[in-house]
Amino acid sequence: MDGDDVDMAAVETAEAVPELDDMKKRLKEMEDEAAALREMQAKVEKEMGSVQDPSASATASQGNKEEVDSRSVFVGNVDYACTPEEVQQHFQACGTVNRVTIRSDKYGQPKGYAYVEFVEPEAVQDALLLNESELHGRQLKVTAKRTNVPGMKQFRARRPSPYMGFPPRAAIMPPYLFSPYGYGKVMRYRMPMRYSPYG
């Protein structure tokens, strides 16, 4: 009996060895392919000049954003028919305008506000003096642009939506009903309830 067990184990190992060798061979091929891909990726990054760690680039982009925002103003109550060229002409007296951005919704309609970026930061103070000036018959609101800090979203309490439904209410037992004439049976009105406190 013991001899049979040993022979069966030897047969199973003899069959498993070629499979194991095939698996090792495929694993070696995949490792070689992954190394070649890593080498090609490093070569492409080196050619593109973008070999930086992500945290350093995120910090640099945040610093760049703050610098651009320090040279920009927010312009509210902009007429919907106003073009970026007209906004640029309005703020040209303050300094050299680098870019005018009029925000629009997903349908391409203007939202009624714009951002004006200047070349020099000193122009922002002159642009703030144009607050409450008129363009296309509308009084503009000009303020310094603020920098959005990632992860610091302003809290706004959410109102319950009438479309989301209402939370289930506790079942209310109706009162006992008596006969209006003072005689007869005492009736108890029972409504079919979905949520019952009794199970």
Side-chain angles (χ1 to χ4, degrees):
M1 222 37 179
D2 290 334
D4 291 338
D5 290 338
V6 172
D7 291 337
M8 293 298 284
V11 169
E12 288 176 2
T13 19
E15 292 174 358
V17 169
E19 290 178 16
L20 189 62
D21 290 339
D22 288 341
M23 291 173 83
K24 286 181 181 178
K25 190 171 156 184
R26 280 187 276 164
L27 180 65
K28 176 72 173 151
E29 289 173 0
M30 289 193 303
E31 286 175 350
D32 292 341
E33 191 175 320
L37 285 173
R38 272 188 244 113
E39 184 179 319
M40 288 172 56
Q41 182 69 27
K43 183 180 176 184
V44 168
E45 286 179 352
K46 196 172 193 180
E47 289 175 3
M48 298 290 286
S50 64
V51 182
Q52 297 177 353
D53 65 42
S55 61
S57 66
T59 307
S61 68
Q62 181 65 22
N64 188 24
K65 254 187 207 178
E66 290 175 3
E67 192 268 329
V68 168
D69 289 347
S70 69
R71 296 183 283 122
S72 302
V73 292
F74 168 83
V75 184
N77 200 23
V78 176
D79 186 34
Y80 296 120
C82 205
T83 63
E85 290 79 17
E86 293 169 336
V87 175
Q88 180 178 355
Q89 288 175 354
H90 188 75
F91 286 94
Q92 197 67 44
C94 304
T96 308
V97 177
N98 188 28
R99 177 182 5 188
V100 175
T101 307
I102 297 179
R103 298 301 308 245
S104 58
D105 63 9
K106 62 182 179 181
Y107 302 110
Q109 301 298 320
K111 288 187 174 184
Y113 65 91
Y115 294 103
V116 180
E117 179 188 333
F118 294 99
V119 174
E120 56 276 337
E122 297 81 25
V124 171
Q125 296 304 321
D126 297 333
L128 293 176
L129 298 175
L130 289 178
N131 189 24
E132 299 183 358
S133 62
E134 282 197 13
L135 179 65
H136 279 244
R138 296 183 72 161
Q139 195 172 24
L140 299 179
K141 179 184 176 187
V142 182
T143 58
K145 185 178 180 198
R146 62 180 175 83
T147 303
N148 290 335
V149 179
M152 294 296 291
K153 190 173 185 179
Q154 289 182 344
F155 174 74
R156 289 190 326 189
R158 294 190 69 186
R159 296 186 325 208
S161 172
Y163 304 110
M164 295 295 285
F166 298 99
R169 293 185 284 179
I172 300 172
M173 298 299 294
Y176 285 97
L177 296 176
F178 296 98
S179 171
Y181 303 109
Y183 62 93
K185 283 181 143 179
V186 173
M187 296 184 308
R188 179 172 179 176
Y189 180 75
R190 182 173 172 100
M191 291 177 28
M193 293 180 286
R194 188 191 304 183
Y195 303 105
S196 173
Y198 303 111

